[in-house]
Amino acid sequence: MNGELRSRGPDRGLQSKAKRELLMGHPVLKAFVCGSLSGTCSTLIFQPLDLVKTRLQTVQSSVNGSGRVGMITVLLSVVRSERLIGLWKGVSPSFVRCIPGVGIYFSLLYSMKQQFCRERSPAALESVLLGASARAVAGVCLLPVTVVKTRYESGRYCYDSVLGALRNIYKLEGARALFSGVTATLLRDAPFSGIYFMFYTQTKRALPHDQCDPVMVPLLSFGCGLAAGVMASLATQPADVIKTHMQLSPHTYPGIAHTVTFIYKNHGMVGFFRGAVPRSLRRTLMAALAWTVYEQMMTKLGLKS
């Protein structure tokens, strides 16, 4: 009998350990939660920049007739007509998109890093492929909400709720409208994440993190994120302009070639970089903040991001 008790002892210990690990959650789930929380913080803080970017890309001409509208002009116009809270129009679909979207991105990225480069930092090309793949999956999953978000921010549509908007678009325009601009979105988001992750990992690798004061590590990570964000934002800005036009008016701009021709004919090459300043600010600061918060949370949970 005593022998049976002794033999059960280790089994019970293993079972208890397994239960504790189950309660603590799978590392991929932890990565999802950390990513979602980091996305929530960055989305709430930088939503006004996203709204201004969308308005800049879709504005036809300035109120003075000069044909040029600046970021400050749009910002003041929104505050005057829609009050300060108007700068956060579209934050609801942004949350619906970013909270699960950023979570999916970080959890997929974590899984793929564990699968393909568990014991080492990914090389430059590997970083591009990992970042682009994770973003492509997350982008396609959340594209209908991205369409709603773009329409909210444009000021042209009045929807009562995200769910109501999805129903309205599906009923009036069909399921295809919910996935309008999918190619342009992927051409924007996948390269952005791939380029960003490459610059971010390579910049961090070049810095002596091990020799720095632990208090300075988040600041170094944020600085690396800023540098990577600027490069990635500028490289993908034309695709963002094309995506915005296609999602606002899918029947007017049925394809990428048609949209590119329209933008170039009416606005020239500069038209492909409308909204570049607010978008670069938002994407750069948002990505840097999200990565910094994510890595700090993962470190607190004892996981290597």
Side-chain angles (χ1 to χ4, degrees):
M1 188 178 214
N2 291 335
E4 289 181 8
L5 289 174
R6 283 194 297 270
S7 64
R8 289 177 184 174
D11 292 338
R12 288 180 179 176
L14 291 173
Q15 290 174 3
S16 299
K17 183 179 180 182
K19 288 179 180 179
R20 285 197 301 271
E21 290 178 350
L22 184 62
L23 289 172
M24 289 174 64
H26 193 278
V28 175
L29 179 60
K30 291 180 181 178
F32 178 88
V33 173
C34 293
S36 296
L37 291 175
S38 69
T40 302
C41 297
S42 54
T43 298
L44 180 61
I45 294 172
F46 300 116
Q47 175 63 22
L49 288 173
D50 203 29
L51 181 135
V52 171
K53 179 268 298 182
T54 300
R55 298 287 176 94
L56 274 173
Q57 289 178 353
T58 55
V59 72
Q60 297 301 315
S61 61
S62 69
V63 292
N64 298 323
S66 64
R68 292 179 63 85
V69 181
M71 185 174 74
I72 302 300
T73 302
V74 173
L75 186 71
L76 294 176
S77 176
V78 172
V79 173
R80 280 196 300 267
S81 60
E82 304 172 46
R83 297 181 298 175
L84 190 63
I85 194 69
L87 293 172
W88 275 268
K89 179 175 286 186
V91 73
S92 296
S94 289
F95 277 145
V96 174
R97 183 191 68 156
C98 286
I99 292 175
V102 177
I104 292 171
Y105 168 74
F106 277 117
S107 57
L108 282 175
L109 190 60
Y110 178 84
S111 298
M112 290 189 291
K113 283 178 65 179
Q114 293 297 308
Q115 182 72 26
F116 299 110
C117 41
R118 180 185 294 270
E119 302 298 333
R120 58 182 175 83
S121 178
L125 181 59
E126 289 176 327
S127 297
V128 172
L129 295 175
L130 289 173
S133 300
R135 179 59 65 189
V137 174
V140 171
C141 291
L142 278 300
L143 188 65
V145 183
T146 304
V147 174
V148 173
K149 168 185 167 295
T150 303
R151 294 190 177 194
Y152 260 107
E153 293 171 352
S154 71
R156 299 182 184 179
Y157 297 84
C158 296
Y159 298 120
D160 295 329
S161 64
V162 176
L163 184 59
L166 291 171
R167 289 174 177 171
N168 183 276
I169 295 171
Y170 178 77
K171 184 178 179 180
L172 299 179
E173 304 175 51
R176 186 173 182 177
L178 292 172
F179 289 88
S180 57
V182 60
T183 305
T185 300
L186 291 178
L187 288 175
R188 177 199 68 170
D189 289 349
F192 177 90
S193 294
I195 295 170
Y196 182 92
F197 189 51
M198 178 194 69
F199 278 114
Y200 184 73
T201 54
Q202 298 306 306
T203 306
K204 283 192 68 177
R205 182 185 296 177
L207 295 177
H209 281 74
D210 297 337
Q211 302 174 15
C212 292
D213 188 325
V215 178
M216 296 296 295
V217 171
L219 293 177
L220 285 174
S221 298
F222 191 79
C224 293
L226 291 178
V230 170
M231 298 288 188
S233 294
L234 293 177
T236 57
Q237 178 64 22
D240 185 67
V241 177
I242 295 168
K243 183 270 314 179
T244 298
H245 280 75
M246 293 181 71
Q247 290 182 343
L248 288 178
S249 305
H251 296 296
T252 306
Y253 309 106
I256 290 181
H258 182 87
T259 310
V260 169
T261 302
F262 174 85
I263 295 172
Y264 182 75
K265 183 178 179 181
N266 289 273
H267 307 290
M269 285 301 296
V270 71
F272 292 101
F273 290 90
R274 272 190 168 179
V277 174
R279 176 175 179 261
S280 295
L281 283 173
R282 175 188 173 272
R283 289 302 298 264
T284 299
L285 293 171
M286 188 173 176
L289 179 62
W291 268 97
T292 302
V293 172
Y294 167 75
E295 290 187 335
Q296 291 303 303
M297 291 183 67
M298 291 288 280
T299 300
K300 296 293 184 183
L301 293 175
L303 295 173
K304 185 180 179 181
S305 57

